[in-house]
Amino acid sequence: MTHTPLPSHSKPRADDEARARGYLSEDEDFRAARFWVIDFKGTTPRGHRPEPIEVGILALQHRPVVGPLPTGYTFRSFIRPPEHTPLTAMDTAQTGIRAQDLADASPAAAVLGTLESQVPTGPVLLVAHHAPAKAGFLYAYRDTCPRLARTALIDTVLLARTLHPGLDSYRLDALVSHLHLPRPGATRPRTT
């Protein structure tokens, strides 16, 4: 997977001194970057690749002094799976998504195409828990969402394993408990 390059600058900039001091929070490119926290729910049909049945995005941007804050952009949509990957009782038990939730949903190509059209023009990084699974969904629909499929993903599982080695579990609920974060409740996907 490739990444969205940050703009290059050939002239000295006002924040070059801050860069030299190492203050990431004062870096112009870092402040411009949007972090799209992305979550998918999917089906895993036997003999076929997983298919998304829901996607959610919460956009964050760093603000000096206070850190990352929501930008106000969110996206959430159910996705109708292909006929060969029907929603199963196990899918509903794991996700809470019911067949009636998907009945009027658009297919993945349409939903991800809409999402692609809303990617901001500046630098964007995707943030996901167990990023390879999320990257797989985007890659499978790369013709519909080429920029998203090429955007770098920050994997919160790998990050947690690095920062908190030796935990019994790196599941999202376990990390929320370990880090004493507020529980998001029963919202699906976990980004919104």
Side-chain angles (χ1 to χ4, degrees), residues 138-152:
L138 294 172
Y139 183 77
Y141 289 94
R142 64 193 174 280
D143 292 340
T144 303
C145 57
R147 183 165 178 214
L148 283 170
R150 291 188 323 267
T151 300

Side-chain angles (χ1 to χ4, degrees), residues 41-77:
K41 299 299 178 214
T43 63
T44 311
R46 182 173 295 174
H48 298 281
R49 72 170 193 245
E51 288 288 345
I53 55 174
E54 185 180 32
V55 62
I57 298 278
L58 171 66
L60 304 172
Q61 187 173 22
H62 181 79
R63 297 289 182 231
V65 182
V66 295
L69 291 174
T71 65
Y73 176 80
T74 62
F75 181 92
R76 180 174 176 257
S77 180

Side-chain angles (χ1 to χ4, degrees), residues 120-136:
T121 56
V124 174
L125 293 167
L126 297 175
V127 180
H129 198 70
H130 195 252
K134 282 48 170 190

